[in-house]
Amino acid sequence: MLTDINPKLPMRDKNATREYYINKLGFKQFGSADYDGYLMLEKDQIQIHFFEFKELDPKENYGQVYIRTDNIDVFYQSLVDSNTTIHPNGPLETKPWGQREFSVLDPDSNLLTFGQSI
């Protein structure tokens, strides 16, 4: 019965979050409404929603999302080519559990891990 999931992550600054996801990760804004303190972004078949949390301390943020992809090498290279910072502990590599993965941190230290089954 479940058909989809749209994670909600905290953000301190809507404009900074929008700029990072659109210009660094290739997302686009979802919908035409501009809600105060709320942001919806999409890329391909996924959406991520963000809620305003101005008091968020990025050093204490443990927001995480695991996103599956079907062409991780091309996506990874596109991020490297656009000078997107890859998490220092999360470069693209094959994991023992049968996934190729890499990670990035957004401006609020939400961890996005991208993975593809091998």
Side-chain angles (χ1 to χ4, degrees), residues 55-96:
E55 298 79 25
L56 176 69
D57 179 351
K59 293 179 182 177
E60 294 182 10
N61 182 14
Y62 299 100
Q64 299 182 35
V65 178
Y66 192 96
I67 303 170
R68 296 206 181 270
T69 181
D70 61 5
N71 202 341
I72 197 161
D73 293 293
V74 170
F75 183 53
Y76 180 80
Q77 191 59 51
S78 74
L79 297 185
V80 169
D81 291 347
S82 69
N83 295 315
T84 301
T85 302
I86 305 301
H87 191 290
N89 296 325
L92 181 62
E93 59 186 9
T94 301
K95 301 293 187 176

Side-chain angles (χ1 to χ4, degrees), residues 38-51:
Y38 201 80
L39 178 63
M40 297 180 291
L41 299 169
E42 67 179 346
K43 180 175 177 69
D44 301 325
Q45 302 301 310
I46 69 158
Q47 283 184 28
I48 303 176
H49 295 206
F50 299 88
F51 62 93

Side-chain angles (χ1 to χ4, degrees), residues 93-111:
E93 59 186 9
T94 301
K95 301 293 187 176
W97 47 86
Q99 293 285 112
R100 282 188 53 75
E101 296 179 352
F102 74 92
S103 298
V104 299
L105 284 173
D106 77 4
D108 296 300
S109 292
N110 291 301
L111 180 70

